[in-house]
Amino acid sequence: PFVCIKAINNESAFRWKSLLKNAAKYGKNELLTRFDIPFYKRKGYEHTYLGPSVYNSVKYSFRYSDRLYAGVVAEKDAGEPFGALHNRYGYDYYSFYLLLKDCGRLKALAVGNYRLSFGQGLVISTDYLMGKTVYASSFNNRNSGIKKHSSADEYNYFRGVAATVSLTKDWDISGFYSHRSLDGVITDGTITSIYKTGLHRSQKEADKKNLFTMQLTGGHVSYQHNRIRLGITGIYYLFNRPYEPELTGYSKYNLHGNNFYNLGIDYAYRWHRFFFQGETAIGKQGWASLNRLQYSPVQNTQIMLIHRFYSYNYWAMFAHSFGEGSTTQNEQGYYICMETSPFAYWKFFASFDLFSFPWKKYRVNKPSRGTDALFQTTFTPYSNLSMYLRYRYKQKERDWTGSKGTLTLPIFHHQLRYRLNYSLGDVLSSRTTLDYNHFHSQDRAATKGYQVTQMISSQLPWTRLFADVQGSYFCTDDYDSRVYVSEKGLLYTFYTPSFQGRGFRCAVRLRYELNKHWLFITKFGETIYLNRNEIGSGNDLIYGNKKADIQMQLRIKF
């Protein structure tokens, strides 16, 4: 017996009528709703926030195979009014998307809200990146092109139409257009700031909603044949008002004006055990380049070298790529890493990053440099038992607090983590995590922080109920020595809060699957601080040392 799967490259074999007929017959529907209910009250709800403290979102999606996706998203953040004031039509945010893929010569067509990513992200990318280490390890598997925007993110998306057409076997061409409103502040007819949070809880935040528009158009041409891949990406975008933020200090060379453009060339070539890829781009100001070389000398061993150069005045509003900073601007550096499994059950990973910033940065009043080194050992003696030990060292520079930029000192950050995973089939699994942080500046006293977390997951016998229980104890001296604790959350969510001070965090997550159509998840979490009587500041201030909430999610498939 055998199974043979073939790709049909003959566009004449595709039939729209057949697609619509099969989609109506075999398409899958999904309805997802979520409620977050806090058991505390923030200061903003006394006089400032206009709506209730409950968060709610509703998502409907339709999918047929990997060819047709469609959906609607509606969301109301905590504190935003529902069906009143500036949200008289119900929710604060609505989103619609339609995506067709692999329909003959039409490789992709998006209508409504969508995302874009081409090359290495130096021109345009709305991908969500998880840091340098994760980004480098998945560098070769980036899913570029046109993608649906099905999340509740109110900023990182485009609205309009985008399409990719296959001209020949080797040539593809993409085009896109977007027209959408943005939040911000307008002073004397000019845009002075762009508001990216999507929150409209108070009248001050509501007054920033949809104050100006942005149009964007562009395209991408790619050629791929055997070992070589080439591409050209170009975008042009403009605001309906001049964008003139206050540019002083470290922001002196940031983007400003009315219309902008970016143009980039991406390339890739594979030769035996070597693989090279990169992108070089220019903008209305400055330029940027990112290049990566990967070599696999033997099986189960990979060596990678990444060089990036982002000029201090590179203007690229939609660029998002590899780096120490959060933007593709004012940075250059060399990153090298190696992953190997020389022995059974053992895996080693090591990386070293040497970077510099040619211009000032936030809290650094002069050009600066730094290093970032990481070493991790993973041991997996059995399929149900694994553990790893990770050490990370980072050295950067920072202005001394209170010196007004006249004194810049090196800072040193040591991080140590041990994690143990154990499972007993599908019945029980355990994860233990120990973290230790050591932070200090030159000639200054060190601050320390640590946390201990234990998670146990289990499926209750003879039921469809799954339970996750997690408890953490944390103790840190200050914000610089803070710790991060990852938790299992609801579907399509990611939650890794940070903690400073001393206290406990507990979370209980229950997942009940009635059948293949109905799924219900609820999660209760509470944080208790032992060294403070207030949590947060400003409108987010919570009186007391406890913070508890419950999240509920219902999914219906039909």
Side-chain angles (χ1 to χ4, degrees):
F2 67 93
V3 175
C4 180
I5 301 174
K6 292 184 178 181
I8 301 176
N9 295 320
N10 184 2
E11 63 276 3
S12 64
F14 177 77
R15 294 289 183 270
W16 285 99
K17 184 177 180 180
S18 176
L19 172 66
L20 297 176
K21 181 179 179 181
N22 290 333
K25 185 176 181 180
Y26 301 109
K28 304 296 183 182
N29 299 273
E30 180 177 295
L31 182 64
L32 192 74
T33 185
R34 168 184 169 185
F35 285 90
D36 294 359
I37 304 174
F39 297 129
Y40 53 85
K41 186 176 182 180
R42 298 187 185 275
K43 183 180 179 181
Y45 291 101
E46 297 176 357
H47 307 288
T48 307
Y49 294 162
L50 304 174
S53 59
V54 176
Y55 169 93
N56 175 236
S57 66
V58 178
K59 299 180 181 181
Y60 166 77
S61 62
F62 173 84
R63 173 182 177 180
Y64 166 64
S65 183
D66 291 325
R67 285 190 166 181
L68 176 59
Y69 302 85
V72 178
V73 178
E75 184 201 42
K76 184 201 84 70
D77 289 302
E80 294 176 343
F82 180 82
L85 301 175
H86 56 277
N87 291 334
R88 61 182 183 274
Y89 297 112
Y91 289 90
D92 178 74
Y93 170 75
Y94 289 97
S95 171
F96 163 77
Y97 65 90
L98 172 68
L99 178 65
L100 283 168
K101 296 183 66 177
D102 300 324
C103 299
R105 287 188 178 272
L106 184 64
K107 297 190 68 175
L109 172 64
V111 179
N113 290 0
Y114 60 89
R115 292 174 175 258
L116 294 172
S117 180
F118 295 104
Q120 306 305 313
L122 299 188
V123 172
I124 188 167
S125 174
T126 52
D127 289 344
Y128 178 70
L129 306 182
M130 298 276 292
K132 289 186 295 185
T133 304
V134 177
Y135 184 71
S137 63
S138 61
F139 215 79
N140 196 27
N141 300 315
R142 294 187 65 198
N143 183 20
S144 63
I146 301 168
K147 289 163 278 190
K148 60 185 174 69
H149 176 65
S150 58
S151 75
D153 186 340
E154 300 183 35
Y155 179 76
N156 293 301
Y157 68 90
F158 302 99
R159 175 169 290 175
V161 61
T164 299
V165 177
S166 179
L167 300 178
T168 66
K169 180 181 178 181
D170 300 327
W171 289 90
D172 291 340
I173 184 170
S174 301
F176 44 87
Y177 171 77
S178 171
H179 184 286
R180 56 167 298 199
S181 299
L182 291 173
D183 298 352
V185 176
I186 295 180
T187 305
D188 298 329
T190 63
I191 306 166
T192 56
S193 67
I194 298 176
Y195 188 58
K196 302 179 181 180
T197 65
L199 297 174
H200 308 107
R201 303 164 297 182
S202 64
Q203 190 59 50
K204 185 177 180 180
E205 292 176 346
D207 291 340
K208 300 177 182 179
K209 186 175 181 179
N210 298 334
L211 287 188
F212 60 95
T213 62
M214 182 200 69
Q215 295 186 73
L216 176 142
T217 186
H220 176 79
V221 179
S222 65
Y223 169 79
Q224 183 169 351
H225 182 74
N226 294 337
R227 302 175 181 174
I228 191 170
R229 185 175 74 245
L230 297 172
I232 300 176
T233 308
I235 62 172
Y236 175 80
Y237 48 104
L238 71 159
F239 302 106
N240 65 336
R241 297 173 181 267
Y243 176 50
E244 298 295 339
E246 182 180 356
L247 301 179
T248 58
Y250 70 92
S251 64
K252 179 179 179 179
Y253 297 101
N254 284 3
L255 179 145
H256 62 91
N258 180 264
N259 54 81
F260 313 92
Y261 71 87
N262 290 98
L263 182 66
I265 300 176
D266 60 275
Y267 34 84
Y269 182 75
R270 184 181 297 276
W271 181 71
H272 298 290
R273 295 179 178 269
F274 289 91
F275 182 63
F276 172 75
Q277 65 176 343
E279 183 178 19
T280 300
I282 61 171
K284 194 173 182 179
Q285 294 282 345
W287 67 287
S289 183
L290 175 73
N291 297 280
R292 164 183 175 268
L293 178 65
Q294 180 177 329
Y295 173 57
S296 180
V298 294
Q299 188 177 4
N300 298 326
T301 298
Q302 288 189 344
I303 302 173
M304 188 185 311
L305 174 65
I306 301 176
H307 170 258
R308 76 268 193 192
F309 176 87
Y310 310 144
S311 63
Y312 63 90
N313 60 341
Y314 180 52
W315 287 0
M317 185 174 181
F318 304 102
H320 196 197
S321 193
F322 178 89
E324 172 66 22
S326 58
T327 61
T328 54
Q329 182 185 10
N330 187 34
E331 181 176 335
Q332 49 189 288
Y334 291 91
Y335 175 90
I336 186 171
C337 67
M338 182 180 72
E339 185 177 74
T340 182
S341 301
F343 318 112
Y345 316 126
W346 290 89
K347 178 185 290 187
F348 301 94
F349 177 86
S351 67
F352 181 79
D353 189 24
L354 181 64
F355 53 86
S356 63
F357 308 111
W359 180 244
K360 304 174 185 178
K361 288 186 70 66
Y362 175 66
R363 299 187 69 180
V364 188
N365 199 37
K366 68 172 187 177
S368 59
R369 62 181 63 248
T371 58
D372 184 1
L374 184 145
F375 180 79
Q376 178 172 313
T377 300
T378 304
F379 179 54
T380 311
Y382 307 101
S383 60
N384 63 338
L385 177 65
S386 67
M387 65 189 75
Y388 72 77
L389 181 66
R390 177 196 299 167
Y391 168 72
R392 187 170 192 173
Y393 165 80
K394 182 176 286 191
Q395 182 267 316
K396 299 172 71 173
E397 293 178 281
R398 182 194 292 179
D399 294 341
W400 180 249
T401 303
S403 68
K404 297 182 179 180
T406 59
L407 178 61
T408 303
L409 298 175
I411 57 175
F412 307 90
H413 194 186
H414 304 265
Q415 295 174 289
L416 188 65
R417 164 171 285 192
Y418 172 78
R419 174 168 287 177
L420 172 67
N421 295 288
Y422 175 76
S423 64
L424 191 62
D426 297 330
V427 178
L428 181 70
S429 63
S430 169
R431 186 179 72 188
T432 306
T433 306
L434 308 176
D435 279 330
Y436 174 75
N437 288 340
H438 185 280
F439 181 93
H440 72 281
S441 300
Q442 181 176 295
D443 302 326
R444 309 291 177 178
T447 61
K448 304 177 180 63
Y450 67 90
Q451 67 95 5
V452 180
T453 298
Q454 178 64 52
M455 185 189 74
I456 297 177
S457 302
S458 176
Q459 178 183 4
L460 300 184
W462 307 292
T463 69
R464 292 178 176 267
L465 182 64
F466 300 81
D468 302 291
V469 181
Q470 179 168 307
S472 303
Y473 173 75
F474 55 89
C475 181
T476 74
D477 292 333
D478 58 5
Y479 177 77
D480 288 323
S481 57
R482 65 191 180 278
V483 294
Y484 292 86
V485 180
S486 60
E487 292 180 4
K488 280 189 176 182
L490 307 181
L491 295 176
Y492 316 121
T493 63
F494 178 79
Y495 187 60
T496 305
S498 63
F499 299 100
Q500 65 178 98
R502 186 164 59 92
F504 296 92
R505 167 70 180 175
C506 65
V508 179
R509 176 179 177 267
L510 300 176
R511 173 183 173 128
Y512 180 68
E513 296 184 45
L514 179 62
N515 50 44
K516 65 179 182 180
H517 302 290
W518 294 82
L519 170 66
F520 179 74
I521 300 176
T522 182
K523 177 185 175 182
F524 172 81
E526 183 174 27
T527 304
I528 302 174
Y529 289 91
L530 304 178
N531 63 332
R532 64 173 69 173
N533 296 319
E534 294 180 345
I535 303 173
S537 61
N539 286 326
D540 290 332
L541 177 67
I542 301 172
Y543 298 105
N545 67 331
K546 297 180 181 180
K547 178 183 176 182
D549 58 74
I550 188 169
Q551 298 176 309
M552 296 177 289
Q553 188 176 58
L554 175 66
R555 186 189 70 185
I556 306 173
K557 286 185 174 183
F558 54 98

